[in-house]
């Protein structure tokens, strides 16, 4: 039997039982945290050989002394690694500092104020800019837009990527739409991978939109599979080349979740014209990136094979945590269970998040109940522009930092809170 077919009396009994379970959890005085989408200390330790690796040899392959200024777009051998990660040619890659988010912000700033194709192409001359934001999405993308005064328009996510009918209709209808956020692989937070058709249609947007439209293709989880480390994703640059739209997509990735999250290296992949426009801006902010760090990275991970086998070690640490989340959800909200169907989620096989949708109107309440029982969850609404989830239903679960045992305990709390909030809502609505 399912919850919605249950009598008022039976619901009241469920509420009583769940309240007892909730009180018992509260008595344990737990302090667990499922908020942080960052690597655990165990994962960070996989790259500790970075420390001291150079051992006094600071020369790159072409003899550059990496300690000195210069090299605005990075060392050649590191561009090569970025090219292999993003499946581009090395002339299409720029290596930046420690954060792809910084590169994304700088790219958006350049496009807005200075223009990627010269000053006349700046979005500010076209009466402002709007971005399409597939939701749920990554809160820091939304912060970039807010900071630059870019209006955000939401697009629903599906199991194959953003709803492309909605995207194409929006781009056709409004010339002020100048960009779109995409996390094409293990999307933050739903964990889905864009289908081939979605990639093809994203690449074709440049034919509908004007010449200053840019897709921000944030491939943060490109080599972060849990069972298949490098699960297939169609190559967006090749699709763009077929469509004649290679200037319409800017790609990003980093080693933040490969080596040390706070001191990795970031990549931007783009057409020659976009790289030229971006470097003009970048050259006014810096004389060059931290090439010593780039050299340490390429000595630790000299090629894509080394990098992929390193990622296998990450997967061995991360996958059991995801399994714990997914099995808790599956055993509670699927099958013949009384509570089947009261929540929905994708089953990511990579990345850092599981995205769970409660019944409408309950996400905040579940997060509150969990917090009061000692389990911190990302604030409800964080996965939507301006922090506003119109359905109040999406909750992002980030299980990488706690131990597997802690994830299990936290999920026990999560499912009780979700059930309790749902039963109370059903009672109030009856
Ligand atoms: N992009 C996405 C989709 C992310 O989830 C994250 C971090 O969680 C980042 C970018 C941050 O990347 P970086 O550390 O390279 O700035």
């Amino acid at each position: 039997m399912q919850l919605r077919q249950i009598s008022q009396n039976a619901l009241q009994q469920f509420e009583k039982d769940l309240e007892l379970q909730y009180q018992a959890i509260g008595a344990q005085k737990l302090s667990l945290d499922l908020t942080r989408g960052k690597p655990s200390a165990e994962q960070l330790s996989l790259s500790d050989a970075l420390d001291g690796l150079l051992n006094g040899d600071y020369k790159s392959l072409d003899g550059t002394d990496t300690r000195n200024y210069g090299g605005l777009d990075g060392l050649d051998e590191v561009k090569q690694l970025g090219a292999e990660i993003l499946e581009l040619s090395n002339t299409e890659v720029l290596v930046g500092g420690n954060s792809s988010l910084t590169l994304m912000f700088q790219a958006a700033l350049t496009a807005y104020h200075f223009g990627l194709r010269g000053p006349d192409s700046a979005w500010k001359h076209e009466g402002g800019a709007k971005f399409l934001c597939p939701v749920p999405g990554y809160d820091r993308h939304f912060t970039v837009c807010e900071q630059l005064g870019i209006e955000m328009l939401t697009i629903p996510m599906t199991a194959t990527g953003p709803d492309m009918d909605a995207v194409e209709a929006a781009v056709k209808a409004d010339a002020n739409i100048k960009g779109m956020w995409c996390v094409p692989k293990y999307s933050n937070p739903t964990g889905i991978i864009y289908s081939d058709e979605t990639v093809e249609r994203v690449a074709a947007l440049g034919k509908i939109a004007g010449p200053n439209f840019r897709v921000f293709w944030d491939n943060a989880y490109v080599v972060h599979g849990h069972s298949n480390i490098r699960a297939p994703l169609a190559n967006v640059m090749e699709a763009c080349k077929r469509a004649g739209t290679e200037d319409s997509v800017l790609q990003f990735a980093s080693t933040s979740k490969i080596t040390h999250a706070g001191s990795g290296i970031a990549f931007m992949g783009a057409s020659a014209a976009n790289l030229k426009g971006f470097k003009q801006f970048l050259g006014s902010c810096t004389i060059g990136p931290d090439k010593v760090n780039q050299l340490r990275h390429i000595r630790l991970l000299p090629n894509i094979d080394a990098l992929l086998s390193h990622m296998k070690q990450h997967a061995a640490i991360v996958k059991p945590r995801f399994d714990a989340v997914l099995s808790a959800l599956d055993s509670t909200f699927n099958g013949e269970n009384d509570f089947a169907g009261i929540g929905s989620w994708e089953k990511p096989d990579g990345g850092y998040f599981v995205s769970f949708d409660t019944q409408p109107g309950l996400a905040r309440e579940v997060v509150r109940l969990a917090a009061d029982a000692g389990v911190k969850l990302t604030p409800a609404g964080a996965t939507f522009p301006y922090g506003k989830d119109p359905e109040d239903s999406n909750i992002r679960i980030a299980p990488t930092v706690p131990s597997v045992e802690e994830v299990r305990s936290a999920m026990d709390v999560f499912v009780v809170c979700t059930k309790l909030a749902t039963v109370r809502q059903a009672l109030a609505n009856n």
Side-chain angles (χ1 to χ4, degrees), residues 62-121:
D62 68 358
T64 301
D65 184 342
T66 57
R67 295 170 300 181
N68 223 327
Y69 277 138
L72 188 63
D73 55 3
L75 297 176
D76 284 343
E77 55 265 49
V78 185
K79 281 188 204 166
Q80 179 59 36
L81 183 68
E84 288 176 38
I85 293 172
L86 288 169
E87 297 181 280
L88 293 168
S89 94
N90 52 1
T91 56
E92 292 166 328
V93 175
L94 172 148
V95 191
N98 73 326
S99 159
S100 60
L101 187 68
T102 303
L103 289 177
M104 290 181 247
F105 184 90
Q106 290 177 326
L109 178 71
T110 306
Y112 196 106
H113 278 289
F114 310 109
L116 279 164
R117 301 180 312 117
D120 292 345
S121 69

Side-chain angles (χ1 to χ4, degrees), residues 37-38 98-104 138 140-141 182-183 186-188 218-221 253-257 261-262 265-266 352-353 396:
K38 58 186 194 182
N98 73 326
S99 159
S100 60
L101 187 68
T102 303
L103 289 177
M104 290 181 247
Y138 178 38
R140 288 178 187 272
H141 287 163
C182 289
V183 184
Y186 309 123
S187 167
N188 177 350
D218 177 2
N219 219 338
Y221 302 106
S254 77
T255 65
S256 293
K257 293 179 181 87
I265 49 179
Y352 269 60
F353 305 103
R396 187 184 84 170

Side-chain angles (χ1 to χ4, degrees), residues 83-387:
E84 288 176 38
I85 293 172
L86 288 169
E87 297 181 280
L88 293 168
S89 94
N90 52 1
T91 56
E92 292 166 328
V93 175
L94 172 148
V95 191
N98 73 326
S99 159
S100 60
L101 187 68
T102 303
L103 289 177
M104 290 181 247
F105 184 90
Q106 290 177 326
L109 178 71
T110 306
Y112 196 106
H113 278 289
F114 310 109
L116 279 164
R117 301 180 312 117
D120 292 345
S121 69
W123 296 336
K124 69 177 179 189
H125 298 313
E126 298 183 52
K130 299 177 189 172
F131 258 53
L132 298 180
C133 301
V135 289
Y138 178 38
D139 51 350
R140 288 178 187 272
H141 287 163
F142 307 148
T143 311
V144 169
C145 285
E146 273 201 85
Q147 196 70 27
L148 293 173
I150 296 172
E151 189 186 332
M152 292 177 269
L153 308 175
T154 59
I155 294 287
M157 274 298 269
T158 75
T160 56
D163 175 343
M164 289 308 296
D165 290 342
V167 169
E168 287 159 359
V171 169
K172 269 184 202 145
D174 189 345
N176 278 109
I177 295 175
K178 297 296 178 202
M180 168 168 162
W181 293 109
C182 289
V183 184
K185 207 182 222 189
Y186 309 123
S187 167
N188 177 350
T190 68
I192 62 98
I193 300 181
Y194 286 19
S195 68
D196 292 357
E197 187 197 331
T198 300
V199 175
E200 204 70 32
R201 289 173 76 176
V202 169
L205 289 173
K207 290 200 286 194
I208 313 174
N212 299 326
F213 175 84
R214 295 291 179 277
V215 173
F216 281 59
W217 191 257
D218 177 2
N219 219 338
Y221 302 106
V222 56
V223 288
H224 300 65
H226 298 159
S227 13
N228 181 2
I229 301 300
R230 188 175 215 176
L233 168 71
N235 186 316
V236 72
M237 187 55 119
E238 280 173 13
C240 285
K241 284 178 183 164
R242 283 194 297 277
T245 57
E246 51 269 57
D247 290 345
S248 70
V249 177
L250 305 174
Q251 302 191 48
F252 302 91
S254 77
T255 65
S256 293
K257 293 179 181 87
I258 297 175
T259 57
H260 289 170
S263 52
I265 49 179
F267 303 101
M268 176 169 164
S271 68
N274 281 330
L275 286 180
K276 184 168 169 241
F278 184 65
K279 279 195 274 185
Q280 242 159 31
F281 160 81
L282 201 59
S284 64
C285 321
T286 177
I287 310 173
D290 179 349
K291 297 183 299 301
V292 172
N293 193 32
Q294 293 187 12
L295 193 63
R296 294 190 313 149
H297 274 75
I298 203 67
R299 298 243 172 104
L300 182 78
L301 303 169
N303 52 49
I304 191 72
D305 291 336
L307 186 139
L308 293 177
S309 70
H310 181 82
M311 291 314 291
K312 270 194 195 151
Q313 299 181 63
H314 278 279
I317 299 168
V318 170
K319 188 173 185 324
R321 289 159 172 79
F322 273 74
D323 289 346
V325 172
L326 295 172
S327 89
L329 296 179
D330 210 39
S331 60
T332 316
F333 302 121
N334 263 342
E336 290 306 298
N337 210 298
D338 286 326
F339 292 90
I342 67 164
S344 57
W345 64 100
E346 300 288 342
K347 289 188 179 146
D349 189 31
Y352 269 60
F353 305 103
V354 176
S355 169
F356 182 84
D357 284 318
T358 65
Q359 296 297 296
L362 289 184
R364 271 173 215 283
E365 178 60 3
V366 171
V367 171
R368 185 192 70 77
L369 285 169
D372 290 351
V375 174
K376 260 208 231 166
L377 295 166
T378 306
T383 52
F384 282 72
Y386 313 108

